[in-house]
């Protein structure tokens, strides 16, 4: 009996070892498959503006698995403003970046003789939304009161354009303007709270901070007939050498926008975890923004209007916006989204 028991024990141990061996082989195969899948993904470096629509696309699209579905491994780098994302592209640190309308036409205009930057498509707009407020200190009751008061802006960005249009609306001459240059919206908010600045155009999280600090909104962008479009840009070299990747990136952009609208609560949860922005703030910002994947005649007209203003104010010489655009990928995947006359 003892001998039979010993034999049975030995057989059980052998079976156990074999089972463990099979389990180990299975895990190894699984790990190998995971590595192989990762190796099949193409890395795309995306420079985004912190807290903006491009940030939503990148973070939520990645977390929801949409970029992976399109064979892309997105590497996200955050910047304070669109001009910084352009710098990342120009210096070879990013493949796609986003920036708003004025920053776009300003950068293209100031480097038009030596740039391979190309507009890829439009990713968002605030047109028709109650977005963007001019927040001011209590002593400013009307636009005329802005004379001599510190007005915060970040040079080269859309804030420059808004500030200039505000002064135009108020009829305040250059000698009575007091423009305070800052390096980010966060710096502008800090100057407002410290009392060094008396006015700043803000939206989203920055507007919420100013409201919490007791500042009030004197007017909206709509009151000046203004709104903001944002775009993805890249370089002619990257777009020509990575046609399929560019197409998949645009597909992922569109699908991410659709996913966000279909899953707003989950999107807010994902973004809060990734950025610290409250879910309530995300919903508020999304309500003031329209996510799009297109480039229409209205979009071109809007950019042209901004460019015309800058040219008339001698910021740079005139140029053709379409010369610095490449809609090849957009046309390949969503041909109906391009409606240029």
């Amino acid at each position: 009996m003892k001998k039979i028991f010993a034999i049975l024990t030995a057989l059980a141990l052998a079976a156990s070892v074999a089972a463990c061996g099979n389990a180990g082989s299975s895990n190894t195969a699984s790990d190998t498959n995971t590595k192989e899948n990762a190796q099949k993904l193409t890395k795309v470096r995306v420079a985004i503006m912190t807290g903006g629509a491009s940030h939503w696309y990148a973070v939520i699209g990645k977390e929801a698995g949409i970029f992976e579905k399109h064979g892309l491994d997105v590497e996200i780098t955050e910047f304070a403003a669109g001009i910084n994302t352009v710098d990342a592209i120009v210096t070879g640190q990013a493949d796609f970046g986003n920036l708003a309308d004025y920053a776009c036409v300003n950068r293209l205009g100031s480097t038009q003789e030596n740039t391979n930057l190309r507009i890829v498509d439009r990713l968002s707009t605030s047109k028709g939304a109650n977005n963007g407020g001019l927040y001011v200190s209590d002593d400013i009751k009307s636009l005329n009161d802005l004379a001599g008061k510190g007005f915060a802006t970040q040079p080269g960005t859309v804030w420059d354009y808004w500030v200039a249009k505000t002064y135009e609306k108020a009829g305040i001459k250059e000698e009575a303007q007091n423009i305070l240059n800052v390096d980010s919206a966060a710096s502008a908010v800090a100057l407002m709270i410290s009392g060094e600045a008396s006015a700043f155009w803000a939206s989203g999280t920055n507007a919420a901070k100013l409201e919490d600090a007791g500042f009030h909104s004197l007017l909206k962008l709509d009151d000046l007939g203004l709104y903001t479009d944002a775009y993805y840009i890249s370089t002619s070299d990257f777009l020509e050498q990575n046609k399929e990747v560019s197409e998949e990136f645009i597909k992922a952009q569109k699908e991410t926008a659709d996913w966000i609208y279909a899953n707003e609560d989950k999107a807010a949860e994902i973004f809060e975890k990734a950025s610290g922005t409250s879910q309530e703030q995300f919903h508020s910002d999304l309500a003031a923004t329209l996510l799009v994947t297109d480039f229409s005649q209205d979009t071109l007209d809007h950019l042209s209007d901004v460019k015309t203003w800058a040219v008339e104010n001698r910021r740079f010489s005139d140029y053709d916006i379409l010369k610095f655009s490449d809609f090849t990928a957009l046309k390949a995947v969503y041909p109906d989204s391009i409606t240029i006359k």
Side-chain angles (χ1 to χ4, degrees), residues 4-153:
I4 293 173
F5 178 76
I7 293 172
L8 292 174
T9 302
L11 290 172
L13 288 172
S16 176
V17 170
C20 290
N22 289 336
S25 299
S26 178
N27 289 339
T28 301
S30 177
D31 291 342
T32 300
N33 289 335
T34 299
K35 290 178 181 178
E36 288 178 352
N37 289 337
Q39 290 174 351
K40 291 177 183 177
L41 298 178
T42 300
K43 179 178 287 188
V44 175
R45 302 167 301 167
V46 182
I48 58 91
M49 289 173 61
T50 300
S54 62
H55 200 176
W56 306 341
Y57 278 112
V59 168
I60 298 171
K62 187 170 185 176
E63 183 64 25
I66 296 171
F67 285 111
E68 184 176 356
K69 169 188 171 183
H70 288 278
L72 305 178
D73 175 20
V74 171
E75 181 181 281
I76 305 168
T77 305
E78 295 182 38
F79 293 95
I83 54 174
N84 304 131
T85 69
V86 180
D87 291 336
I89 291 175
V90 171
T91 57
Q93 300 175 60
D95 304 314
F96 290 96
N98 96 286
L99 74 175
D101 35 36
Y102 178 75
C104 181
V105 298
N106 183 57
R107 186 56 177 259
L108 293 176
S110 60
T111 62
Q112 58 184 288
E113 300 301 328
N114 184 32
T115 185
N116 65 349
L117 292 172
R118 297 293 183 268
I119 301 171
V120 176
D121 70 355
R122 184 174 66 147
L123 64 94
S124 68
T125 182
S126 67
K127 187 176 183 180
N130 189 24
N131 188 28
L134 176 59
Y135 286 84
V136 296
S137 53
D138 288 338
D139 58 331
I140 297 178
K141 307 299 182 183
S142 70
L143 288 179
N144 292 334
D145 295 334
L146 289 171
K149 302 294 177 64
F151 203 147
T153 184

Side-chain angles (χ1 to χ4, degrees), residues 46-308:
V46 182
I48 58 91
M49 289 173 61
T50 300
S54 62
H55 200 176
W56 306 341
Y57 278 112
V59 168
I60 298 171
K62 187 170 185 176
E63 183 64 25
I66 296 171
F67 285 111
E68 184 176 356
K69 169 188 171 183
H70 288 278
L72 305 178
D73 175 20
V74 171
E75 181 181 281
I76 305 168
T77 305
E78 295 182 38
F79 293 95
I83 54 174
N84 304 131
T85 69
V86 180
D87 291 336
I89 291 175
V90 171
T91 57
Q93 300 175 60
D95 304 314
F96 290 96
N98 96 286
L99 74 175
D101 35 36
Y102 178 75
C104 181
V105 298
N106 183 57
R107 186 56 177 259
L108 293 176
S110 60
T111 62
Q112 58 184 288
E113 300 301 328
N114 184 32
T115 185
N116 65 349
L117 292 172
R118 297 293 183 268
I119 301 171
V120 176
D121 70 355
R122 184 174 66 147
L123 64 94
S124 68
T125 182
S126 67
K127 187 176 183 180
N130 189 24
N131 188 28
L134 176 59
Y135 286 84
V136 296
S137 53
D138 288 338
D139 58 331
I140 297 178
K141 307 299 182 183
S142 70
L143 288 179
N144 292 334
D145 295 334
L146 289 171
K149 302 294 177 64
F151 203 147
T153 184
Q154 186 172 5
T157 69
V158 71
W159 284 317
D160 259 2
Y161 180 56
W162 294 344
V163 169
K165 297 298 283 187
T166 304
Y167 280 135
E168 282 184 12
K169 178 73 172 179
I172 297 174
K173 303 297 183 182
E174 186 174 350
E175 56 270 20
Q177 298 175 10
N178 183 12
I179 298 175
L180 303 177
N181 292 328
V182 298
D183 59 2
S184 67
S187 296
V189 171
L191 286 182
M192 290 285 286
I193 294 174
S194 70
E196 295 177 67
S198 298
F200 177 59
W201 278 101
S203 60
T205 303
N206 297 313
K209 289 178 180 178
L210 290 175
E211 288 174 1
D212 289 342
F215 293 92
H216 67 281
S217 177
L218 186 63
L219 74 164
K220 299 290 185 180
L221 284 175
D222 285 348
D223 297 325
L224 296 180
L226 301 176
Y227 64 91
T228 303
D229 279 350
Y231 314 88
Y232 275 124
I233 63 167
S234 186
T235 64
S236 56
D237 292 340
F238 180 85
L239 296 172
E240 290 170 6
Q241 296 168 17
N242 300 275
K243 293 182 179 180
E244 185 175 344
V245 170
S246 300
E247 291 174 10
E248 295 303 321
F249 182 78
I250 290 176
K251 287 180 184 177
Q253 174 190 336
K254 176 67 166 60
E255 289 185 28
T256 299
D258 293 342
W259 192 94
I260 290 173
Y261 283 128
N263 304 273
E264 287 192 26
D265 289 341
K266 183 61 178 178
E269 181 182 330
I270 290 172
F271 196 65
E272 180 181 49
K273 185 176 180 180
S275 68
T277 300
S278 71
Q279 294 183 41
E280 181 182 8
Q281 186 63 55
F282 175 84
H283 284 299
S284 176
D285 292 346
L286 182 60
T289 307
L290 178 63
L291 302 179
V292 295
T293 303
D294 64 11
F295 199 92
S296 67
Q297 184 63 44
D298 284 345
T299 304
L300 179 59
D301 291 343
H302 173 65
L303 273 177
S304 297
D305 288 344
V306 176
K307 176 176 66 72
T308 297

